[in-house]
C-alpha cells in the first residue's frame, strides 16, 4: 500500500517543484516535451553497456497517464509512443 494523498500544485512549495525539475529534467523549460540531447546521450550510453534513462518529466507523465496505451516495456515502440504523446 502507498501512503499518498493528492494535493493541488498550489499546495506544493515552489522549492519542491524546483527540486523535482532540477533532479529529473533540468532542461524542462528548454524543450517541448522531449529532450533530444538527453535522448541521444541515453542511446549512446546504453549502446556502450551503461543503461540510462532519458525520459523527460513530460514523457514520464505520458507513460503514467496512459499506461495501457503506452505500456512499461523497455522498447523503442514505447519510447516513440511516449515522445508522440509528450509533443502533443
Amino acid at each position: 500500500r502507498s501512503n499518498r494523498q493528492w494535493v493541488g500544485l498550489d499546495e506544493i512549495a515552489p522549492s519542491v517543484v524546483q527540486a523535482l525539475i532540477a533532479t529529473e529534467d533540468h532542461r524542462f523549460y528548454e524543450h517541448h516535451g522531449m529532450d533530444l540531447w538527453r535522448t541521444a546521450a541515453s542511446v549512446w550510453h546504453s549502446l556502450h553497456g551503461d543503461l540510462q534513462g532519458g525520459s523527460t518529466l513530460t514523457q514520464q507523465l505520458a507513460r503514467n497517464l496512459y499506461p495501457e496505451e503506452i505500456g512499461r516495456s523497455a522498447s523503442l515502440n514505447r519510447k516513440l509512443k511516449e515522445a508522440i504523446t509528450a509533443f502533443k
Side-chain angles (χ1 to χ4, degrees), residues 12-13 19 27 55 57:
I12 300 172
R27 286 191 290 271
S55 295
L57 285 171

Side-chain angles (χ1 to χ4, degrees), residues 33-36 38-40 42-43 46 52-60 62-63 69-87:
M34 185 172 176
D35 185 344
L36 298 178
R38 183 65 199 127
T39 300
S42 175
V43 169
S46 294
Q52 295 187 2
S55 295
T56 63
L57 285 171
T58 311
Q59 287 174 279
Q60 293 174 38
R63 182 177 58 240
E69 294 88 347
I70 293 176
R72 295 224 174 255
S73 65
S75 68
L76 181 59
N77 188 37
R78 187 198 89 210
K79 284 294 185 185
L80 289 173
K81 288 179 181 179
E82 279 180 12
I84 291 167
T85 306
F87 280 126

Side-chain angles (χ1 to χ4, degrees), residues 5-20:
Q5 180 179 0
W6 289 99
V7 296
L9 186 57
D10 60 331
E11 297 178 69
I12 300 172
S15 57
V16 173
V17 175
Q18 293 167 355
L20 174 70

Side-chain angles (χ1 to χ4, degrees), residues 39-54:
T39 300
S42 175
V43 169
W44 172 261
H45 287 284
S46 294
L47 288 174
H48 290 89
D50 181 19
L51 296 177
Q52 295 187 2

